[in-house]
Amino acid sequence: MFLATATNSLDAKGRISVPADFRAVVSDGGFEGIVLWPSVHGGFLEGGGMALLQDYQRLIDNMDPYDDARMAFERSIFAESRRLSFDGTGRVTLPKDLAEYAGLEKQATFIGLGRRFEVWNPDSYQSQADAARLMARENKHRLRLVGRAPLRAPSDEPRS
Amino acid sequence: MFLATATNSLDAKGRISVPADFRAVVSDGGFEGIVLWPSVHGGFLEGGGMALLQDYQRLIDNMDPYDDARMAFERSIFAESRRLSFDGTGRVTLPKDLAEYAGLEKQATFIGLGRRFEVWNPDSYQSQADAARLMARENKHRLRLVGRAPLRAPSDEPRS
DNA sequence: TTGAATACCATAAAATCCCATGCTATCCCG
DNA sequence: CGGGATAGCATGGGATTTTATGGTATTCAA
């Protein structure tokens, strides 16, 4: 699972260290590296290991061949994504167009989001994070762990 | 289940012993350590084992992919949380930013809350606990309603 | 041959491992 | 019941390894 956030530097050759925790996660897909693509949600990158891509593949296989969403999916993820392998010390070289798309220059922030991660310009991310925190607080009631929760009155988590 | 509370010391390197009871609980997720994140409810930390995070993962997986709240949760839970593994004697190293967020210096109090736990500055927790007790006393008449199931339980109706 | 991409080496800082010690609760046996 | 042995726990410090990052060499192709 991709967790935590870390900000690392891009060097003159466009190389950047992938956080060690993330490297440990992607080692399962059989490919020593990550996959990155420009996000359809905004000016940042999304990524994961090969295992994630295989999950998406399986998802798409189950969609109707002429479903619009399917084609959008195929185009926006598979067609746009790059396979970047680690060098000896766990860095990848960021293709120029991806760096440009996400506005990455000196540094980049890796954000762990469970199954996948995102790569942001550090400054742009800050405001995102603040907004997310606010919204999470306002919607906290939706995070109840109903699956394994014992039978109890519908009051909120006993945050005492 | 995380139960009871314990106060342990932070050493010069930022290490702190996780209460032995808690260590026994988290061993299930396959990862020998805990996960901690800054609470959105106040200046303290929340934590649990990997199993708890997997529960959240499952919950989020079932939300609409385009739901704004979903992204907010991903960002405020996965992105903010840290995976801290035990050393040989059951300690973890508290990242500086987390310690700072919760105002932890010499000591920290672990509070078991069943499925998860919290980590507080001992002083803050004390005053918070006092306030909670006071509020509980002032509102004790409301407590009668809390334990009750929404559709009335067979045992607790006075049945005049 | 020149440029770009890739592999290899070096280093400082940070995280991790490993061993030692005092304390406390528990057990066991007289 | 008592007192010593024992095991588990919290804590301290030094040694070792990993990580992030910079630079240099080498390969490959145009």
Side-chain angles (χ1 to χ4, degrees), chain B residues 20-147:
Chain B
D21 295 351
F22 287 23
R23 299 204 295 264
V25 176
V26 297
S27 57
D28 53 355
F31 162 67
E32 283 295 305
I34 59 175
V35 178
L36 278 184
W37 65 94
S39 172
V40 297
H41 302 300
F44 56 92
L45 310 178
E46 294 186 54
M50 274 303 284
L52 179 66
L53 267 276
Q54 284 157 9
D55 284 349
Y56 283 135
Q57 172 84 266
R58 227 167 295 135
L59 224 149
I60 287 174
D61 283 346
N62 289 327
M63 295 176 72
D64 186 321
Y66 293 100
D67 185 343
D68 283 345
R70 173 187 176 131
M71 281 198 188
F73 285 137
E74 291 178 332
R75 297 234 156 89
S76 62
I77 295 181
F78 297 122
E80 300 289 338
S81 61
R82 306 292 183 74
R83 195 197 229 121
L84 308 177
S85 47
F86 298 138
D87 69 7
T89 63
R91 285 177 296 194
V92 296
T93 304
L94 217 51
K96 284 190 195 62
D97 55 330
L98 286 188
E100 195 172 319
Y101 179 87
L104 307 175
E105 290 175 16
K106 292 259 160 292
Q107 296 195 305
T109 303
F110 289 80
I111 297 125
L113 294 170
R115 190 185 302 289
R116 68 199 167 79
F117 60 85
E118 293 177 357
V119 184
W120 286 70
N121 174 306
D123 298 334
S124 317
Y125 180 66
Q126 191 52 54
S127 49
Q128 190 273 350
D130 291 348
R133 195 167 316 132
L134 191 67
M135 175 171 271
R137 188 176 314 155
E138 284 170 355
N139 291 280
K140 64 181 171 198
H141 59 284
R142 295 173 59 194
L143 276 181
R144 281 197 318 195
L145 300 174
V146 173

Side-chain angles (χ1 to χ4, degrees), chain A residues 69-143:
Chain A
R70 173 181 181 136
M71 298 176 103
F73 228 143
E74 292 174 334
R75 297 239 155 80
S76 63
I77 296 184
F78 292 114
E80 300 289 340
S81 61
R82 309 291 180 73
R83 195 189 304 216
L84 309 177
S85 49
F86 298 138
D87 70 7
T89 63
R91 285 178 295 196
V92 297
T93 304
L94 216 52
K96 284 191 193 61
D97 55 330
L98 285 187
E100 198 171 319
Y101 179 87
L104 307 175
E105 291 175 15
K106 292 257 161 294
Q107 297 195 304
T109 301
F110 289 81
I111 295 126
L113 295 171
R115 298 192 189 292
R116 61 175 211 291
F117 60 85
E118 293 176 355
V119 184
W120 286 70
N121 174 303
D123 298 330
S124 318
Y125 182 66
Q126 192 51 54
S127 52
Q128 268 302 307
D130 294 345
R133 201 175 165 81
L134 255 167
M135 175 166 269
R137 188 200 309 236
E138 283 165 5
N139 288 277
K140 67 178 180 189
H141 61 278
R142 296 178 54 190
L143 256 197

Side-chain angles (χ1 to χ4, degrees), chain A residues 8-9 13 15 20 23 89 91:
Chain A
N8 291 341
S9 342
K13 291 197 243 172
R15 295 178 301 183
R23 299 203 296 263
T89 63
R91 285 178 295 196

